[in-house]
Amino acid sequence: MATPTTTLAAPLAAPATASGATLAVEASNLVKRYGDVEAVKGVSFDVGRGEIFALLGPNGAGKSTTIKMLCTLALPSGGTARVSGFDVRRQPKAVRRRIGLVFQEQTLDEQLTAEENLRFHAVLYRVPRDEVDARIDRVLRLVALEGRRKDLVSTFSGGMARRLEIARGMLHTPAVLFLDEPTVGLDPQTRALMWDDVTRLRKEEGVTILLTTHYMDEAEYADRIAIIDHGQIVALDSPDALKRKVGQDTVELTTADNALAVSRLAAAGYRCQEGEEAVVVFTTDGESQVARLIEIARVPVSNVHVHRPTLDDVFLHFTGRQIREDQGERMLSMAVRARAGRR
Amino acid sequence: MATTPLSVRPSTPSLLDERGDLVAELRTIGMVWERELIRFVRTRTRILSSFVQPILFLFVLGYGMTTLVGSTEGFTFKKFVFPGIVAMSVVMTAIFSAISIVWDREFGFLREMVVAPVSRSSLVIGKTLGGASIATVQGTIMLALAPLIGVHLTATLVGQVIGLELLMAVGLTSFGVFVASRIQRIEAFQVVMQLLLFPMLFLSGALFPLKGLPTWLAVLTRLNPVTYAVDPLRRVVFAVQAVPPAAAARFSTGISLFGTMLSLSAEIGIFCVFTAVFLALAIVGFGKPE
Ligand SMILES: Nc1ncnc2c1ncn2[C@@H]1O[C@H](COP(=O)(O)OP(=O)(O)O)[C@@H](O)[C@H]1O
Ligand SMILES: [Mg+2]
C-alpha cells in the first residue's frame, strides 16, 4: 500500500498488525450456533486495509453475531477469523486492543460527561497519559462534538450519543472500527452527518471500517458489500458491480414517433422495445448513452428517464425478498420505551 | 478495493506495547474507582440519604431501644449498640453499592468495560474499592455522631475504626458484586439483597451481645461473616471507654468459637478469609463472554 505522507513515530515497539498482515479482517467459514439456532452458517470474507465494508441484511440475518465473533465477544462454533493479523480465538486481547467497537445498543455512561466517558475509555485501552488530551480533542472534532465536551451524556440526543460512541471507538487509534447498525433509529439528517463522520475517519485516520446495516441507501457508501441472509453471504462485491450483476440500466425515451425510434435504435444494435408510451432501451451506463440514443433515433424527444438498478433490486434479486425499511424505526421505538421504563 | 488513506494515522507505540501490564491494570482500577465516586457525588438522593440514614439509625436503635433495655451502672444500651450501628451503616451501603453493576448492565456500560483489553480482576477490584470507599465514608459520618451519645473518641480510635470499616466494606462490597453479577434485573437485585441483608445484620451481634444465646442463634451468628467484622469494631471502641465491670458483663464483647474466645486478630483474620473468598467469587462471576 502506498503511503505518501507516512509520519510513523519510529521505531515502533510492536507492529500495528501481526507481521505480514495485509488484510484487516479475514473470516473463514465462521459458524455460530446458539443451542439449536444456527445464527451464522459458514461466513467467509476478507476486508482490505482502509476499506469500508458493509454487511447488509435484514434483522436476524446474523450480522451482529458475525461482528461479535470478530470482536472476540462470542466464541465461534466453527471456522477461524483473524483481525489485524491476530487470531480471534487464540489472541483475543491483542485483537481487542486494535479494534474500536460501536454496538447496536448504546454503551455510554449517561451520568458522566462526554469527556469523562472518553477518559475512562482511554485508560482501559492504554492510551499513553500524555496523549490522552490531544486524542480526546481530535476525536471530538472528528464527530463535531467539541462544544459538548463538558456536558453530561444524559443531555445528548440519540444522534449525538451515537457520534460520541464513534469518537470513543476511535480514541485508541484502532486499526479496525466495527460499527453495528450505526445509524439505526436516527433521523435522515443525522444519518447523513454520521456518514460524513465515517468517511472522514477513513480519510483522515486511515482506519478500516466494518459496519452492518439494513438500510440500502447506506450500503452505497461502502467500498464493498456482503449481502447476508439467514446466516449466509449470498453476494459480495462493490455496490456498482452488484447492480451490474442484477441487470442493465433502462433508458426510457418518450418521442414523437416511438415505432420509428425503435427501428432506428435496433438497427444501430441497441436492445430495445416499444413500451406503452415510451421507447425502452436496455444498456450499460445509461446516463452517458442518452445523447447518442437521441441522435440515433432522429425524432423529437419529449422526456428521458434513466433507471439504474438500486440495491433494493440487488437485494430482491439475491434473496427473493425486500428489506423492510420500517424495521429500524420499530427497533428505535422499542429502545426508547425500554429507556423510558427505567426512569 | 482498499483505498489508500491520505495520511497514515500516527501509531502509538506504547498502545501496542504488551509490557507495562501492571501499570495499565492499576490505572484501570483507579479509573473504575473514580467513576464510582463521581456517580455517587452526582446523585443527590444518595448524598442526602447518607446523612439521613445515620440519624435515623441513631434515634430508632440508639435512643428508642435504650428506653427498653435501660442502662447498667450508667453505661447505656445506646453506647453498646453504637459500634453496631456504625457497622450496619457500612454493611448496608457496601452491599447496595453493588447495584451499580446491575445498572451498568441495564444501561449497556458493563459491555464497554468487559470488552476492554483489561483483566476482569481489575474491573472488579476497582468497583469493589469504589463501593467500599463510599461505605467507609458513610460509616465515618456515623462515627462523627459519637459525642452525641457520650462515646469517647481519640485520634487512634478514629484511625482504627476507619481501618476496620474499610475492611468490612471491601468484604461486603465483594459479596454484593458477587451476587449482582448473577442478577439481570434491578428488581431482582433489590429483593435478593433484602433477603440476604437483614439476616446478615440482625444475626451479627450488631444489636445484641453474642453471649448466652440459644444454640441455634449462636450457630447462625457464628456462620455469619458480618459477625467477625462487628465485634472487632466494638472491641476497639470499648477499649477507650470507661466500661463498669457489671456493664462489661452484661454488654459483653468477644466471639467464642468451639469453646474458645477468639482474639481480636483471629476475628479480623477470619473476616479477611471471607473477604478473599467473596472477592474471588466476584471476579469469577463477572462478565463472562458468550
Ligand atoms: N445470544 C443469543 N442466543 C440465542 N440466539 C441468538 C443470540 N444472539 C442472536 N441469536 C439469534 O441468531 C440470529 C441472528 O441474530 P443477529 O446476529 O443478532 O442478527 P442481526 O444482527 O443480523 O439482526 C437470530 O435468529 C437471533 O435470534
Ligand atoms: Mg444486529
Side-chain angles (χ1 to χ4, degrees), chain B residues 140-189:
Chain B
T140 308
I141 293 175
M142 190 75 230
L143 185 70
L145 299 178
L148 277 182
I149 50 166
V151 171
H152 178 62
L153 294 181
T154 65
T156 324
L157 175 62
V158 171
Q160 287 170 329
V161 170
I162 290 177
L164 287 170
E165 283 174 347
L166 193 59
L167 174 64
M168 189 187 309
V170 169
L172 286 140
T173 311
S174 318
F175 177 75
V177 170
F178 157 65
V179 175
S181 50
R182 275 159 183 71
I183 288 177
Q184 305 291 328
R185 288 174 38 248
I186 300 279
E187 298 80 7
F189 178 85

Side-chain angles (χ1 to χ4, degrees), chain A residues 63-64 104 180-181:
Chain A
K63 304 183 297 293
S64 296
Q104 200 169 340
D180 195 4
E181 309 257 5

